[in-house]
Amino acid sequence: MSVENQNVNYVEISEIRALTERLFDRLKSAGLDRVPLNRGAFWTVFFDDAFIETAPRPMLTDVDDCLADLRNEVNAETMIGWHALHHLSELLSYVAKCDLDGNSIR
């Protein structure tokens, strides 16, 4: 490890994956099996803009488009990781909102 990286903390992708799997296992055991796709458009912030010092501009996105883009990206011969993760993040926010509102299919 280089001297300049000694003070950097890391989390393993495998831990994030394990936490995500555990989260979804717990949601499923609580009866959350699926969410409706009828909500349509919602506001989000482009992930790269969320890490700047000035307030990011929100953008309107669509649940169906996020799902389609994620499916396409994951199944592409050459995947663009940041693009797939961006759409996954948006979908996870949507799932969280559905659960909060009780709009999930249980």
Side-chain angles (χ1 to χ4, degrees):
M1 178 182 274
S2 71
V3 174
E4 61 194 4
N5 289 331
Q6 287 182 351
N7 294 323
V8 176
N9 292 322
Y10 294 94
V11 62
E12 298 291 328
I13 294 295
S14 60
E15 181 183 357
I16 295 171
R17 180 180 183 162
L19 289 168
T20 303
E21 288 173 356
R22 179 77 173 123
L23 167 65
F24 282 107
D25 287 346
R26 294 196 63 188
L27 288 172
K28 186 171 177 87
S29 70
L32 179 63
D33 288 331
R34 53 191 167 162
V35 294
L37 293 177
N38 61 350
R39 299 282 295 267
F42 64 99
W43 291 100
T44 188
V45 173
F46 186 66
F47 77 94
D48 198 34
D49 293 345
F51 293 91
I52 58 176
E53 291 185 24
T54 58
R57 286 193 276 178
M59 61 184 179
L60 198 59
T61 191
D62 184 87
V63 174
D64 292 321
D65 288 343
C66 288
L67 182 57
D69 282 354
L70 179 60
R71 286 174 173 160
N72 288 335
E73 201 61 68
V74 169
N75 292 311
E77 187 172 322
T78 303
M79 183 184 76
I80 301 171
W82 69 262
H83 190 240
L85 288 165
H86 175 68
H87 288 295
L88 175 60
S89 172
E90 291 175 328
L91 285 172
L92 290 174
S93 292
Y94 175 70
V95 170
K97 177 63 173 159
C98 287
D99 187 50
L100 178 68
D101 290 349
N103 264 343
S104 56
I105 306 298
R106 297 181 187 262

